[in-house]
Amino acid sequence: MNLLTPPIDSTPPASSDAGLPIAAVERETGLGKDTLRVWERRYGFPTPLRDSSGDRLYSAEQVQQLKLISRLLDFGLRPSKVVSLDNAALQALLTQHAPAPAAILSKTNIGNDATDPVIKELLHAIGTHDPRALQHGLSHAQLRMGLAPFVIDLAAPLTTAVGEAWAQGRFEIFEEHLYTEVLTGVLRHAIASLTSQLVPQGPRVLLTTVPQEQHSLGLLMVEALLTLDGCTCVSLGTQTPLTDIVQAALAHRADVVALSFSNMNKTAVVQTSLRELRARLPTATALWVGGTCTALYQWPLSEASAVQHLSGLQPLVAQWRHAH
Amino acid sequence: MNLLTPPIDSTPPASSDAGLPIAAVERETGLGKDTLRVWERRYGFPTPLRDSSGDRLYSAEQVQQLKLISRLLDFGLRPSKVVSLDNAALQALLTQHAPAPAAILSKTNIGNDATDPVIKELLHAIGTHDPRALQHGLSHAQLRMGLAPFVIDLAAPLTTAVGEAWAQGRFEIFEEHLYTEVLTGVLRHAIASLTSQLVPQGPRVLLTTVPQEQHSLGLLMVEALLTLDGCTCVSLGTQTPLTDIVQAALAHRADVVALSFSNMNKTAVVQTSLRELRARLPTATALWVGGTCTALYQWPLSEASAVQHLSGLQPLVAQWRHAH
DNA sequence: AAATCATTTTTGTCTTAGACAATTAATACC
DNA sequence: GGTATTAATTGTCTAAGACAAAAATGATTT
């Protein structure tokens, strides 16, 4: 039962370096208690200290390494290959497995081999914990560039850059959270401004994500672009059960169901979901999918139209309009 | 990366009448796997069926009873007294211990014994899948009532009403999702309008929720009220690991860390989280907690200031200002 | 009575070691 | 190069036992 209360006998106030019990590590790392124990048994890591009653006490270092391991597993690596590595090796793998850092960025700019200075400035605002500068910088860029270029050429690559920086350990989770929060505010503000002065037309689009998919930024970017293009968007936010997606599509008489997938999804889950959705949705209802999920583009999808890049959204709308 | 969600949301064993595996029951009831097993050993309930490989399969009835038991435990009853009771006895105890059903709604209106007509109208807009009417109704009410009364007397009770309607099967999940999405837009718009024309002062408040806590509406309502009151808010959105909450509080030099808890949290998790946060945050940093989580108010909290109702927020700010 | 302290019961969580099914990698075969 | 078959990997489950924090009970004093 010794949960998070570090040893009472030793030093009550400043004993946080004694180690974290297994339940705390589960919450910090997202790795289940059973998994932690079985890793210790199989791979010899982590081997935590024990308190007076034999319970595990993980050091802060071990927890840090576990976080790195957890990130590597998200990249598709197997536990047997990474769990027993030391800190340096983990770091090396992380920098190696992070996709080309400025690959996406360079494509968005006109042959600019260096990173966009605006993006660098915004990244700096995140790293220095300056939400006002971040908010101001984003709003300003949105007004200057216009909504569509802002989303496609700035927000999307910046989000990728932040995600990569986090994966490489250059950003903490809370810094990514703050970025998400501020950008969400800017995007929602833009969408709200649009909807108030727009004639409802175009396809009626239902926007959401499947369960387990928590990323909401992609959804918001799509909503912004579609709304800008004159579509009538209804967003359900993230994590809607498949049954409810179908129900909602019927209830709102949606012409299109648009789903966003991040790379955290298992390919099997993605394909199964799409197949089931396609089977249960009316034939007349189109299914559009997009996002950073690699599983969407590796195999040709018969069930849905896959949009790998946000710039592919507008042609899809034009195509739909032409067909109706 | 197993994110604490043992089974897929949609169809754990596909055949729902066969029974739920123990991980699904943990998610449904909030009772830990160890607890479920030790109850079976000690009190003889629940005694689930087993699948071909000996794993437990809980019937829907047992899960239902476990939910009732869990609620009774939140009221302070002891497991030995309730775990082995049958369904009827549990129901009896619940009606005995249940608080006033419409207490929140009736308190908000001036002696109005019927539900607020505006709330009824908005509930109707949700049920008829009319996002524009919902959006318009909420925005209009916000402008008419003013932000603080809108949040306290309309948004909060309406959210409760929607949650209850969903629990009773009168709303589908996608209808609740739509409501959440629209209200989020309205609240964020109000907050954005505030921050653009406000002098930064008051306490610097860091807003977020602990992992596993996904509800973002409460957080937004609090952010609206605090910002209105002149506080400088930094929100990290939902589900920030405890370590990062501490890091963020330091990085942003927060005077206050404010957390929101919904009722889906295990009481043990809530108390453990608060204790650990309190231990790791600077003594000068205040800890404010609120939300619908009964565990916050059942026992006196020494670690944090608990705000059961949104109207209690402003006094807390005033008190902080007076002390500084 | 009421309050303080010591003792017993209750209760959730942790421990061990083993087992199994589902996924993923590797191999053989056409 | 594909494709079916076998082998390895991996997360989760089970069992009974143990222990400390919390709660209830009892004894003693104010």
Side-chain angles (χ1 to χ4, degrees):
Chain A
M1 179 78 151
N2 171 14
L3 257 184
L4 296 169
T5 32
I8 313 163
D9 47 78
S10 50
T11 47
S15 58
S16 59
D17 19 359
L20 285 93
I22 194 168
V25 179
E26 169 173 358
R27 268 192 292 96
E28 289 288 329
T29 64
L31 302 164
K33 295 191 250 268
D34 282 321
T35 304
L36 289 168
R37 284 191 277 255
V38 89
W39 280 5
E40 183 179 342
R41 201 199 310 171
R42 286 179 184 154
Y43 313 119
F45 181 86
T47 28
L49 301 175
R50 302 302 181 111
D51 68 1
S52 57
S53 62
D55 291 7
R56 289 170 172 81
L57 284 182
Y58 294 83
S59 71
E61 254 181 293
Q62 289 171 329
V63 175
Q64 170 61 19
Q65 285 199 29
L66 286 171
K67 284 184 181 175
L68 298 183
I69 292 169
S70 178
R71 292 178 200 175
L72 284 172
L73 295 191
D74 283 343
F75 283 120
L77 301 199
R78 321 258 8 235
S80 60
K81 303 278 181 66
V82 290
V83 171
S84 50
L85 297 180
D86 62 357
N87 213 320
L90 293 175
Q91 293 283 358
L93 273 180
L94 268 175
T95 51
Q96 173 187 340
H97 266 271
I104 305 172
L105 298 182
S106 60
K107 269 175 70 177
T108 62
N109 263 338
I110 324 108
N112 204 349
D113 58 329
T115 308
D116 187 330
V118 179
I119 288 187
K120 283 188 70 174
E121 178 194 324
L122 292 171
L123 286 174
H124 183 258
I126 299 171
T128 55
H129 315 119
D130 190 343
R132 293 187 81 85
L134 181 59
Q135 203 273 331
H136 187 263
L138 286 171
S139 293
H140 190 263
Q142 191 254 297
L143 290 174
R144 179 168 43 82
M145 303 168 73
L147 185 52
F150 168 74
V151 170
I152 295 174
D153 297 331
L154 182 58
L158 180 55
T159 302
T160 306
V162 170
E164 284 174 6
W166 168 74
Q168 293 171 16
R170 290 187 287 119
F171 276 170
E172 300 292 334
I173 301 180
F174 79 89
E175 296 171 314
E176 197 209 17
H177 276 216
L178 179 66
Y179 164 72
T180 301
E181 190 69 12
V182 173
L183 179 57
T184 299
V186 172
L187 286 174
R188 289 199 102 106
H189 186 254
I191 293 172
S193 306
L194 278 177
T195 45
S196 63
Q197 52 183 9
L198 212 70
V199 189
Q201 52 158 329
R204 302 174 58 87
V205 183
L206 185 79
L207 282 153
T208 190
T209 74
V210 296
Q212 286 187 310
E213 172 58 67
Q214 305 197 321
H215 285 57
S216 57
L217 276 183
L219 218 49
L220 271 177
M221 295 188 212
V222 171
E223 185 178 357
L225 293 178
L226 290 180
T227 307
L228 189 64
D229 232 8
C231 301
T232 306
C233 289
V234 176
S235 177
L236 298 181
T238 56
Q239 306 201 67
T240 308
L242 295 194
T243 311
D244 286 81
I245 296 179
V246 176
Q247 284 187 46
L250 297 176
H252 291 278
R253 300 187 308 282
D255 302 306
V256 178
V257 171
L259 300 174
S260 172
F261 291 88
S262 75
N263 212 353
M264 296 184 53
N265 291 341
K266 297 193 173 181
T267 60
V269 173
V270 173
Q271 296 197 314
T272 308
S273 303
L274 289 182
R275 210 164 300 161
E276 186 169 350
L277 260 186
R278 190 8 100 214
R280 283 156 69 179
L281 281 173
T283 320
T285 309
L287 194 54
W288 296 355
V289 298
T292 58
C293 182
T294 51
L296 292 175
Y297 316 111
Q298 289 179 349
W299 295 278
L301 289 178
S302 56
E303 300 91 358
S305 308
V307 190
Q308 190 158 14
H309 193 258
L310 287 173
S311 57
L313 217 45
Q314 208 198 342
L316 214 51
V317 175
Q319 182 184 328
W320 186 93
R321 289 217 175 99
H322 185 264
H324 291 74
Chain B
M1 177 155 191
N2 170 7
L3 264 178
L4 300 179
T5 42
I8 312 284
D9 181 299
S10 50
T11 53
S15 50
S16 52
D17 34 357
L20 293 161
I22 194 169
V25 179
E26 170 174 21
R27 195 180 68 76
E28 289 282 325
T29 65
L31 301 163
K33 296 192 250 266
D34 282 319
T35 304
L36 289 168
R37 285 191 277 254
V38 89
W39 280 4
E40 183 179 341
R41 202 197 311 168
R42 288 181 182 152
Y43 313 118
F45 180 87
T47 25
L49 300 176
R50 301 303 181 112
D51 68 0
S52 56
S53 62
D55 291 6
R56 278 164 245 257
L57 285 182
Y58 294 83
S59 72
E61 243 183 303
Q62 289 172 328
V63 174
Q64 169 62 18
Q65 286 199 29
L66 286 170
K67 284 183 184 173
L68 299 183
I69 292 169
S70 176
R71 286 194 59 186
L72 285 172
L73 295 190
D74 281 345
F75 285 121
L77 302 200
R78 320 248 23 226
S80 61
K81 301 280 179 67
V82 291
V83 170
S84 49
L85 295 180
D86 62 357
N87 213 322
L90 293 174
Q91 292 283 0
L93 274 179
L94 262 178
T95 50
Q96 177 185 337
H97 277 269
I104 306 174
L105 294 182
S106 60
K107 267 176 71 178
T108 62
N109 265 338
I110 323 107
N112 204 349
D113 58 328
T115 307
D116 187 329
V118 179
I119 289 186
K120 285 186 70 173
E121 177 194 324
L122 292 171
L123 286 174
H124 182 257
I126 300 171
T128 54
H129 315 119
D130 190 345
R132 293 187 82 83
L134 181 59
Q135 204 272 332
H136 186 265
L138 285 171
S139 293
H140 191 263
Q142 191 256 299
L143 290 174
R144 179 167 43 79
M145 303 170 72
L147 184 52
F150 168 75
V151 170
I152 295 174
D153 297 330
L154 183 60
L158 179 56
T159 302
T160 306
V162 170
E164 282 175 8
W166 170 72
Q168 292 169 16
R170 291 187 286 121
F171 274 169
E172 301 292 335
I173 301 181
F174 79 88
E175 296 172 314
E176 197 208 15
H177 276 215
L178 180 66
Y179 164 73
T180 301
E181 190 69 12
V182 173
L183 179 57
T184 298
V186 172
L187 286 173
R188 289 199 103 106
H189 186 255
I191 293 171
S193 306
L194 278 177
T195 45
S196 64
Q197 51 182 10
L198 212 69
V199 188
Q201 51 156 330
R204 301 175 59 88
V205 183
L206 185 79
L207 282 154
T208 190
T209 73
V210 296
Q212 289 186 301
E213 171 59 67
Q214 304 198 322
H215 288 249
S216 57
L217 276 184
L219 218 50
L220 272 177
M221 296 187 211
V222 171
E223 185 177 357
L225 292 179
L226 289 181
T227 307
L228 189 64
D229 231 9
C231 301
T232 307
C233 289
V234 176
S235 177
L236 298 181
T238 56
Q239 305 201 60
T240 309
L242 296 196
T243 307
D244 286 83
I245 296 178
V246 176
Q247 283 187 45
L250 296 175
H252 290 279
R253 299 187 309 281
D255 302 305
V256 178
V257 171
L259 300 175
S260 172
F261 291 89
S262 74
N263 211 353
M264 304 188 62
N265 288 320
K266 288 188 269 186
T267 60
V269 171
V270 173
Q271 297 198 316
T272 305
S273 303
L274 289 182
R275 211 165 298 162
E276 183 168 352
L277 261 185
R278 190 9 101 209
R280 285 157 66 176
L281 281 173
T283 321
T285 309
L287 194 53
W288 296 354
V289 299
T292 57
C293 181
T294 51
L296 293 176
Y297 318 110
Q298 206 73 36
W299 294 277
L301 289 178
S302 56
E303 298 91 357
S305 307
V307 192
Q308 190 157 15
H309 193 255
L310 286 172
S311 58
L313 218 45
Q314 210 200 342
L316 214 52
V317 175
Q319 182 183 328
W320 186 92
R321 289 215 175 102
H322 185 264
H324 290 76

